Amino acid sequence: MQIYRNKLGRADHAIAVGAGFASGDYDLRIPAILGLPLTWWERACFRSKLRADIRDRSDFLRDIGIDVLEAHAEACRLFWQPITLKRP
């Protein structure tokens, strides 16, 4: 743990340098952060298409084993929330 000092030389906070991933692989942070907008955009597009399918083709969802209520709950989630809709 490294101590950072303010301008007056007092140690205000003890900060663990490199605290992040338990695996110790710190190089994964940058690509993950840069890829986050793409992931969010893909989720938003998926949920938009899912809302259209609920509205127009709800019988097709039942045919592939997805309940309309589950699909509606997934479509209402926000873009930063992971996709939880899984086919059986």
Side-chain angles (χ1 to χ4, degrees), residues 65-86:
I66 297 175
D67 186 32
V68 176
L69 293 175
E70 290 174 327
H72 185 63
E74 179 65 39
C76 291
R77 293 174 59 102
L78 300 171
F79 65 89
W80 62 80
Q81 296 173 321
I83 295 173
T84 60
L85 184 66
K86 304 287 184 207

Side-chain angles (χ1 to χ4, degrees), residues 40-58 60-61 64 66 71-72 74-77 83 85:
W40 287 348
W41 181 74
E42 289 172 347
R43 289 176 187 168
C45 289
F46 170 75
R47 290 181 177 135
S48 173
K49 292 175 186 177
L50 185 59
R51 282 190 291 274
D53 286 342
I54 292 169
R55 185 179 58 247
D56 300 333
R57 300 181 260 167
S58 61
F60 290 149
L61 290 173
I64 61 172
I66 297 175
H72 185 63
E74 179 65 39
C76 291
R77 293 174 59 102
I83 295 173
L85 184 66

